[in-house]
C-alpha cells in the first residue's frame, strides 16, 4: 500500500504544478524601473498601481518593480512625492522588455509668503483625526494581500533573509490578524529576537502593537495630549499641497514616536510617515536598544478610504547578552499591501485565538504563491547574492552574529534540572561540565563531568569530584531518555554532600561567595549515597514529575573552622537522623519555569507531596505549595510596565519529620537576598515542621526618577521598587526536644518592608529593609530581575 500512496502523492503534486503553470501562462509579468529623469537615479519605494484596480506594488532600493496582471493592455500609475504622478500605457510590445518610467520632477512655486501660527500644525492634525473618525464609521473590516521581506546584517553583510506572503485582516472590534500562506527564508533565528515580518504595523491606527509595546499612534483621538506638533515643511503632489508635520512625545512615560507625518491638505489624510520609536523606551528581552526608522505610504482604496500600501524599515538594534556579547545588528524590511477589500467578513478561524500571526501549513507546504508569481517586491542584487549564499547554510544566531566575547557574568548562570529546580553552576565546554563550590564541610570542591550523547533521545553523564576538606571522592552518574515529545526518564546514582534543608532562593553554588569570603555558611549538610529515578511528562496545561529515592544518609562534621583569612568561626554542622531513606515525591507544576534569585514575569504554581516508603528510617508525609504571580499596574503601554510580583509558599506534614526534611523560610545569605527571603533575617533561615511565607515587590521602573527629572539615572535605566515580606515557622515542643540540635524557629510572624534601587551596573540591586514587628534594619544586594 505504501508505494501506491507515494504514487498518488506524486500524481497530486504533478497535477498541482501543472495547474499553477497553466495559470501562470494566463498571466502577464510586468517588470520595470522608476528613475529620476535627469540623474537616472532609482526612486525607491515609488508606488506603482494598476489603474482601475487595487493591485499594485512598490519599487525596491534599486527602483525595480514587478507586477503580475491578467492581461494587457493596462495603465500603470506611478506616484512619488516630489514628482508628478505619471500614467504609462503598457501593451503587448512593452511587455517584451523592462518598462522604464521616468516621472517629471514637481516644481513648487511659492506665490506668497506662508506664515503659520503656533496652532496651525495642531489644527491640521485635528482635521486628519476627525477625517479618520468619519471614515471609520463606514469601515468595519478590511482584508489585503500582504508581502514582507526582512534581512538582518552584521557589519553590512547579510546573515538572514526571509520573505513571507500573507493574507492581512482587520476587524474594528477584534484587531489585526495575518495568515502566512507562503514563505522563503535562509534561517529562522529571528524568532529568538522577537521579530515577525508578517506582523506589519499600520501607522494610521489609534494604537500600534510593535516589539511588545503599545504605541500611541499619530492619529490617536487624543494624539495632541501625547505629542508636540510643529510644521516642518510644505511640498507639492500634483496640484495639491502636502504639509510635513514634525511630532515628538510630550513626556517620557508613554510609548510614542518621533519624526514626520505628511498630510494631504485638501483631503485631510495621511500621505506618508517617517517615524522611529522615542529613544527613552525600554524594550522586552532580548532587545536592549532599537534605532530603526519606519516609513509608510497610504493610498485611497474603495470609497476614498486611505490605507497603508507599504512598509519600509531600516536601522540597527542590539540584544541583551545571554552567554555571549553580540554585536549591533542591522535590520532592513520591505513590505507591500494590495488588493484591498472593504467590509467583507474575515474568516472566523483567524480570531479563535489571541495569536497575531497564523501559519497556513498546507499553503506553505505547496509554496504555490511564489510558483504562481504573485506580486512581490524584487530582490536587490545584494539580496539575491545573500539568498543563494545563505540558503544551504541555515545559520544559527551564534553562527550568524559571531559573538565578540563571552559575557563575564556567564561564568555562573542559571539552569534547570529535570524536575524544574533552578541550579547555578559552571557551563559546559566541548561536552565537559565543570562545577565548583565552597562550604565548611567540603572545604573547596571541584568536579568534572562529561555528557555522552548516544542518540538524540538518550544521553549519559559521568562526573567525578574531590573535596579538599573531607578528602572524599564524589561520584555522580546520570542516564536520561526522552520518550516522545513530552516525556523524560532519568536514573541517577549519587555519592555527594547534600543540603539538610532546601532553600527556595539560594543554591549550593551561590553559597560559595558568603561562605568563602564572609565566613558565613548558610546551609547545613549531610552525606548521601543512593539512587534516584525520575519520570516527567508535560501535559497540555501542566507538568508532572514522579521521583523515587533510596538513599543512605550519614551525619558529617565541619572540616573547616573558618574561611581563611577571616577570623569568623563557622558554626558546627549539626547531626541528622542516620539511616536508609526510601521516598516517593510527586510534583504538579503549571505556568512558566522557576527563576533563581528574583522574579520576572512569572506566573507559576507548584504542588509537591513527598511520602516515606516502607523500610525508611522515618515515617512521614510532607506537603509543599509554591505560588508566583505578577500583575501590571501603571504605564501598561511599556514593555516593562510598573508591576506587582507576589511569591507565596507553605509547607506542612503528617507523621514525624527527620531533621533533613524540615522546611524553612529563607533569610539573607550573607549580603545576598532574593524574592522569597526575609531581608532583615540574616545568614540562616527559620526552620520548622510547618512554614509559611508571603513576599511581594512593586517595580516602579524608572518612573520616580522621570518625575524628578533625574535624566542621568533614567538614561542608565536605574529603577525603584518597594517590597515586603511576611514569614513564620512552627515547631512542636516534642520535636524540638527530640532534635540533636537547636534549630532557629520564629517566635511569631516576621514582618518587614523596604525600598530597592535596581539595575545598578545593568545587573545589581541594593535593598534597604525595615523590620516591622521588632526594631531592626537590613541592607542586602541581589540580582536586578525585570518583571
Amino acid at each position: 500500500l505504501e508505494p501506491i500512496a507515494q504514487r498518488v502523492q506524486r500524481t497530486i503534486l504533478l497535477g498541482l504544478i501543472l495547474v499553477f503553470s497553466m495559470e501562470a501562462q494566463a498571466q502577464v509579468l510586468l517588470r520595470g524601473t522608476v528613475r529620476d529623469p535627469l540623474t537616472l537615479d532609482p526612486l525607491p519605494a515609488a508606488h506603482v498601481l494598476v489603474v482601475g484596480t487595487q493591485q499594485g506594488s512598490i519599487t525596491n532600493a534599486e527602483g525595480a518593480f514587478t507586477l503580475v496582471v491578467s492581461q494587457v493592455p493596462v495603465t500603470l500609475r506611478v506616484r512619488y512625492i516630489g514628482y508628478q504622478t505619471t500614467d504609462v500605457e503598457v501593451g503587448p510590445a512593452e511587455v517584451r522588455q523592462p518598462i522604464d518610467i521616468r516621472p517629471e520632477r514637481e516644481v513648487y512655486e511659492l506665490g506668497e509668503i506662508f506664515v503659520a501660527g503656533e496652532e496651525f500644525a495642531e489644527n491640521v492634525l485635528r482635521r486628519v483625526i476627525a477625517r479618520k473618525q468619519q471614515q471609520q464609521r463606514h469601515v468595519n473590516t478590511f482584508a489585503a494581500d500582504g508581502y514582507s521581506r526582512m534581512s538582518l546584517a552584521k557589519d553590512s553583510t547579510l546573515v538572514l533573509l526571509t520573505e513571507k506572503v500573507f493574507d492581512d485582516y482587520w476587524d474594528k472590534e477584534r484587531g489585526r490578524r495575518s495568515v502566512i500562506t507562503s514563505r522563503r527564508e535562509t534561517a529562522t533565528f529571528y524568532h529568538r529576537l522577537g521579530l515577525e515580518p508578517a506582523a506589519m504595523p499600520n501607522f494610521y491606527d489609534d494604537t500600534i502593537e510593535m516589539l511588545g509595546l503599545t504605541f500611541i499612534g499619530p492619529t490617536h483621538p487624543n494624539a495632541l495630549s501625547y505629542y508636540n506638533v510643529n510644521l516642518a515643511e510644505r511640498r507639492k503632489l500634483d496640484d495639491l499641497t502636502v504639509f510635513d508635520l514634525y511630532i515628538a512625545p510630550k513626556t517620557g512615560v508613554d510609548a510614542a514616536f518621533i519624526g514626520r507625518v505628511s498630510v494631504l491638505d485638501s483631503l485631510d489624510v495621511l500621505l506618508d510617515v517617517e517615524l522611529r520609536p522615542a529613544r527613552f523606551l525600554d524594550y522586552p528581552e532580548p532587545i536592549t536598544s532599537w534605532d530603526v526608522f519606519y516609513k509608510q505610504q497610504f493610498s485611497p482604496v474603495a470609497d476614498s478610504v486611505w490605507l497603508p500600501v507599504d512598509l519600509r524599515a531600516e536601522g540597527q538594534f542590539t540584544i541583551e547578552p545571554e552567554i555571549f556579547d553580540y554585536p549591533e545588528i542591522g535590520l532592513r524590511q520591505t513590505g507591500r499591501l494590495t488588493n484591498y477589500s472593504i467590509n467583507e467578513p474575515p474568516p472566523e478561524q483567524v480570531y479563535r485565538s489571541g495569536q497575531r500571526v497564523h501559519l497556513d501549513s498546507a499553503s506553505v507546504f505547496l509554496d504555490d504563491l511564489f510558483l504562481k508569481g504573485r506580486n512581490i517586491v524584487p530582490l536587490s542584487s545584494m539580496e539575491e547574492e545573500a539568498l543563494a549564499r545563505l540558503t544551504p547554510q541555515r545559520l544559527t544566531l551564534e553562527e550568524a552574529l559571531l559573538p565578540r566575547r563571552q559575557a563575564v557574568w556567564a561564568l555562573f548562570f542559571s539552569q534547570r534540572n529535570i524536575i524544574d529546580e533552578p541550579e547555578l553552576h559552571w557551563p559546559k565546554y566541548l561536552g565537559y561540565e565543570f562545577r565548583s563550590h565552597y562550604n565548611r564541610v567540603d572545604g573547596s570542591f571541584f568536579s568534572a563531568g562529561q555528557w555522552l550523547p548516544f542518540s538524540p533521545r538518550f544521553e549519559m553523564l559521568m562526573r567525578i569530584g574531590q573535596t579538599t576538606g573531607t578528602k572524599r571522592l564524589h561520584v555522580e552518574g546520570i542516564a536520561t531518555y526522552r520518550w516522545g515529545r513530552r516525556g523524560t526518564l532519568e536514573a541517577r546514582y549519587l555519592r555527594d554532600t547534600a543540603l539538610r534543608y532546601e532553600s527556595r532562593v539560594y543554591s549550593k553554588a551561590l553559597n560559595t561567595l558568603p561562605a568563602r569570603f564572609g565566613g558565613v555558611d548558610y546551609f547545613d549538610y549531610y552525606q548521601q549515597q543512593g539512587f534516584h529515578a525520575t519520570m516527567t511528562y508535560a501535559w497540555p496545561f501542566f507538568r508532572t514529575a514522579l521521583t523515587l529515592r533510596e538513599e543512605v544518609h550519614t551525619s558529617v562534621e565541619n572540616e573547616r573552622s573558618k574561611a581563611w583569612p577571616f577570623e569568623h568561626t563557622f558554626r558546627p554542622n549539626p547531626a541528622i537522623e542516620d539511616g536508609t531513606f526510601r521516598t516517593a515525591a510527586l510534583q504538579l507544576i503549571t505556568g512558566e519555569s522557576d527563576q533563581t534569585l528574583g522574579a520576572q514575569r512569572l506566573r507559576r504554581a507548584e504542588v509537591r507531596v513527598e511520602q516515606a516508603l516502607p523500610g525508611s528510617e522515618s515515617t512521614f508525609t510532607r506537603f509543599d505549595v509554591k505560588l508566583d504571580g505578577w500583575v501590571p499596574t501603571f504605564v501598561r503601554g511599556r514593555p516593562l510596565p510598573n508591576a506587582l510580583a507576589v511569591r507565596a509558599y507553605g509547607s506542612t506534614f503528617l507523621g514525624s519529620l527527620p531533621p533533613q526534611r524540615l522546611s524553612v523560610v529563607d533569610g539573607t545569605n550573607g549580603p545576598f537576598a532574593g524574592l522569597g527571603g526575609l531581608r532583615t533575617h540574616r545568614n540562616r533561615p527559620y526552620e520548622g515542621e510547618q512554614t509559611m511565607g508571603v513576599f511581594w515587590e512593586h517595580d516602579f521602573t524608572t518612573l520616580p526618577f522621570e518625575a524628578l527629572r533625574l535624566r542621568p539615572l533614567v538614561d542608565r535605566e536605574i529603577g525603584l521598587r518597594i517590597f515586603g515580606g511576611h514569614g513564620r515557622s512552627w515547631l512542636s515542643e516534642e520535636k524540638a526536644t527530640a532534635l540533636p540540635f537547636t534549630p532557629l524557629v520564629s517566635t511569631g510572624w516576621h514582618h518587614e518592608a523596604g525600598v530597592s534601587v535596581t539595575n545598578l551596573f545593568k545587573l545589581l540591586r541594593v535593598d534597604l529593609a525595615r523590620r516591622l514587628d521588632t526594631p531592626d534594619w537590613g541592607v542586602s544586594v541581589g540580582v536586578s530581575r525585570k518583571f
Side-chain angles (χ1 to χ4, degrees):
L1 293 177
E2 186 175 351
I4 296 175
Q6 292 176 349
R7 284 197 296 271
V8 170
Q9 291 175 353
R10 285 197 296 267
T11 302
I12 293 174
L13 287 174
L14 289 173
L16 290 171
I17 293 174
L18 179 61
V19 171
F20 296 153
S21 302
M22 294 173 61
E23 183 175 346
Q25 292 175 1
Q27 296 177 335
V28 180
L29 176 64
L30 306 181
R31 297 180 181 272
T33 57
V34 181
R35 298 186 292 172
D36 183 278
L38 300 179
T39 66
L40 300 184
D41 291 335
L43 299 182
H47 185 206
V48 182
L49 178 71
V50 179
V51 175
T53 73
Q54 295 301 323
Q55 187 177 0
S57 187
I58 61 172
T59 58
N60 66 7
E62 298 172 346
F65 69 90
T66 60
L67 275 171
V68 176
V69 296
S70 58
Q71 60 184 5
V72 289
V74 294
T75 301
L76 299 183
R77 177 167 295 166
V78 177
R79 192 184 74 187
Y80 198 84
I81 295 180
Y83 293 78
Q84 296 180 8
T85 299
T86 302
D87 289 351
V88 177
E89 297 292 333
V90 179
E94 288 79 12
V95 173
R96 300 190 184 99
Q97 58 187 356
I99 306 164
D100 188 15
I101 303 176
R102 305 179 188 183
E104 294 295 326
R105 289 186 177 184
E106 188 74 70
V107 178
Y108 189 23
E109 298 179 355
L110 292 177
E112 57 186 27
I113 297 176
F114 180 79
V115 179
E118 293 183 359
E119 296 185 358
F120 178 82
E122 294 184 358
N123 288 333
V124 170
L125 192 58
R126 284 191 182 95
R127 294 200 304 270
V128 173
I129 295 171
R131 173 71 176 83
K132 186 184 81 168
Q133 292 174 336
Q134 180 183 6
Q135 166 188 302
Q136 288 181 340
R137 296 191 188 102
H138 308 289
V139 178
N140 296 312
T141 64
F142 67 71
D145 296 337
Y147 166 82
S148 178
R149 177 170 69 249
M150 183 181 69
S151 62
L152 300 181
K154 177 195 172 187
D155 300 330
S156 301
T157 300
L158 296 187
V159 295
L160 179 142
L161 185 69
T162 176
E163 294 181 279
K164 295 189 177 180
V165 177
F166 57 93
D167 296 328
D168 197 53
Y169 300 98
W170 176 84
D171 184 282
K172 183 186 294 187
E173 303 297 331
R174 297 178 290 183
R176 295 279 295 279
R177 294 291 188 273
S178 297
V179 180
I180 299 171
T181 52
S182 194
R183 65 181 177 185
R184 297 187 299 188
E185 51 196 14
T186 63
T188 60
F189 62 77
Y190 58 87
H191 289 300
R192 288 179 58 185
L193 306 177
L195 305 177
E196 174 47 69
M200 290 201 332
N202 176 4
F203 287 92
Y204 225 138
D205 285 340
D206 292 345
T207 57
I208 300 158
E209 302 291 334
M210 192 167 62
L211 298 172
L213 295 82
T214 302
F215 284 86
I216 303 298
T219 59
H220 187 280
N222 299 318
L224 293 174
S225 299
Y226 297 99
Y227 289 103
N228 291 313
V229 186
N230 294 288
L231 179 66
E233 189 181 358
R234 282 194 304 167
R235 293 183 290 169
K236 198 166 186 183
L237 178 65
D238 300 329
D239 295 328
L240 303 177
T241 299
V242 178
F243 292 119
D244 290 337
L245 306 181
Y246 179 79
I247 65 171
K250 288 186 174 180
T251 69
V253 175
D254 300 286
F257 298 103
I258 186 169
R260 170 187 61 81
V261 298
S262 297
V263 176
L264 199 56
D265 180 35
S266 60
L267 299 179
D268 296 329
V269 294
L270 284 187
L271 187 64
D272 71 356
V273 300
E274 183 174 348
L275 302 169
R276 65 167 175 81
R279 297 191 188 279
F280 60 77
L281 296 173
D282 294 326
Y283 295 95
E285 296 179 356
I287 293 173
T288 54
S289 70
W290 188 264
D291 189 17
V292 175
F293 280 86
Y294 293 88
K295 299 179 182 180
Q296 190 168 62
Q297 300 179 91
F298 306 90
S299 184
V301 295
D303 300 323
S304 299
V305 176
W306 285 66
L307 292 171
V309 295
D310 73 342
L311 177 75
R312 291 152 289 143
E314 185 173 358
Q316 297 80 36
F317 66 97
T318 57
I319 60 176
E320 180 174 347
E322 296 172 346
I323 298 177
F324 300 104
D325 183 13
Y326 291 107
E328 192 173 58
I329 306 169
L331 177 142
R332 184 187 294 268
Q333 183 176 356
T334 301
R336 186 266 301 130
L337 292 168
T338 188
N339 290 337
Y340 276 99
S341 59
I342 306 296
N343 289 332
E344 293 184 7
E348 283 300 318
Q349 59 266 28
V350 303
Y351 287 98
R352 288 176 182 170
S353 71
Q355 188 174 345
R356 168 71 174 83
V357 178
H358 300 260
L359 181 69
D360 186 340
S361 302
S363 295
V364 169
F365 171 74
L366 294 173
D367 210 14
D368 62 305
L369 298 176
F370 281 112
L371 290 174
K372 289 162 59 176
R374 180 172 175 173
N375 297 332
I376 63 175
V377 180
L379 296 173
S380 66
S381 56
M382 178 185 294
E383 290 169 333
E384 288 179 347
E385 183 274 331
L387 184 64
R389 173 175 54 86
L390 294 172
T391 300
Q393 299 183 49
R394 306 293 294 182
L395 299 177
T396 65
L397 178 63
E398 291 76 16
E399 292 169 338
L401 299 182
L402 293 177
R404 293 177 294 205
R405 61 184 180 273
Q406 188 172 7
V408 174
W409 58 265
L411 291 175
F412 286 106
F413 70 103
S414 178
Q415 290 189 346
R416 293 173 187 86
N417 61 21
I418 195 170
I419 55 175
D420 204 25
E421 293 173 342
E423 295 181 344
L424 196 69
H425 56 75
W426 295 88
K428 287 188 287 188
Y429 291 100
L430 301 176
Y432 289 91
E433 185 179 80
F434 301 92
R435 294 189 184 183
S436 176
H437 66 252
Y438 179 90
N439 58 59
R440 67 186 188 278
V441 168
D442 289 334
S444 296
F445 169 82
F446 302 95
S447 72
Q450 183 180 21
W451 283 97
L452 303 172
F454 292 96
S455 73
R457 294 183 178 273
F458 179 70
E459 61 182 351
M460 294 185 66
L461 168 71
M462 300 299 296
R463 176 186 301 282
I464 296 178
Q466 180 69 48
T467 66
T468 61
T470 60
K471 309 296 184 184
R472 281 188 287 261
L473 184 67
H474 292 235
V475 179
E476 183 179 16
I478 302 175
T480 301
Y481 177 75
R482 295 174 179 84
W483 47 287
R485 305 178 74 179
R486 296 182 175 181
T488 306
L489 296 174
E490 179 182 282
R492 172 184 295 195
Y493 170 78
L494 186 65
R495 188 170 71 190
D496 194 10
T497 302
L499 304 178
R500 185 175 63 79
Y501 43 78
E502 297 176 359
S503 169
R504 296 178 176 89
V505 180
Y506 312 111
S507 67
K508 189 189 294 185
L510 185 65
N511 184 55
T512 294
L513 290 178
R516 182 66 185 86
F517 298 105
V520 177
D521 196 336
Y522 186 79
F523 291 104
D524 293 338
Y525 308 90
Y526 66 92
Q527 187 72 18
Q528 70 172 0
Q529 179 177 344
F531 294 91
H532 304 171
T534 302
M535 179 178 66
T536 65
Y537 192 80
W539 304 89
F541 301 106
F542 63 95
R543 305 181 294 282
T544 58
L546 176 64
T547 302
L548 303 177
R549 299 171 181 258
E550 180 167 351
E551 303 169 338
V552 176
H553 294 181
T554 307
S555 300
V556 291
E557 297 180 352
N558 287 23
E559 293 293 337
R560 291 288 180 267
S561 60
K562 60 182 65 176
W564 183 88
F566 301 98
E567 295 298 323
H568 181 77
T569 302
F570 286 126
R571 58 188 172 87
N573 188 62
I576 62 163
E577 189 174 311
D578 295 351
T580 300
F581 284 80
R582 297 185 179 94
T583 62
L586 177 64
Q587 284 180 275
L588 283 79
I589 305 167
T590 184
E592 294 90 350
S593 296
D594 201 358
Q595 306 291 333
T596 301
L597 275 184
Q600 292 181 318
R601 300 182 176 187
L602 184 63
R603 293 188 175 100
R604 184 177 189 273
E606 176 186 346
V607 177
R608 184 174 184 268
V609 180
E610 184 179 22
Q611 173 66 51
L613 300 177
S616 182
E617 201 69 30
S618 298
T619 302
F620 66 91
T621 306
R622 176 172 152 171
F623 305 91
D624 293 272
V625 176
K626 183 179 178 182
L627 304 172
D628 285 284
W630 77 282
V631 59
T633 54
F634 312 119
V635 289
R636 300 187 182 188
R638 293 187 176 184
L640 295 175
N642 287 192
L644 175 68
V646 179
R647 170 167 290 181
Y649 56 75
S651 180
T652 188
F653 75 106
L654 296 173
S656 177
L657 290 176
Q660 56 268 43
R661 285 299 184 268
L662 296 179
S663 59
V664 300
V665 176
D666 281 297
T668 65
N669 186 354
F672 302 107
L675 184 63
L678 297 166
R679 291 173 171 86
T680 56
H681 180 59
R682 301 170 187 86
N683 303 327
R684 288 181 64 187
Y686 289 124
E687 293 188 64
E689 298 168 292
Q690 297 174 297
T691 56
M692 180 175 291
V694 178
F695 304 87
W696 55 270
E697 289 186 356
H698 189 280
D699 188 4
F700 290 98
T701 62
T702 60
L703 204 61
F705 300 122
E706 292 175 24
L708 296 173
R709 300 185 182 277
L710 299 175
R711 198 68 208 179
L713 298 181
V714 175
D715 292 341
R716 290 173 174 80
E717 300 181 2
I718 306 299
L720 202 66
R721 295 183 189 178
I722 60 173
F723 62 83
H726 318 274
R728 184 175 180 181
S729 65
W730 291 267
L731 186 68
S732 65
E733 293 185 7
E734 179 183 359
K735 189 65 179 180
T737 303
L739 288 174
F741 61 92
T742 302
L744 185 59
V745 183
S746 66
T747 57
W749 279 96
H750 181 123
H751 300 285
E752 65 180 23
V755 62
S756 300
V757 179
T758 64
N759 215 32
L760 299 171
F761 309 107
K762 300 288 185 180
L763 178 65
L764 300 177
R765 57 181 283 176
V766 175
D767 311 311
L768 176 64
R770 176 75 164 89
R771 185 167 177 178
L772 304 179
D773 54 296
T774 185
D776 197 4
W777 291 87
V779 178
S780 59
V781 298
V783 176
S784 185
R785 294 279 186 173
K786 299 177 180 180
F787 60 89

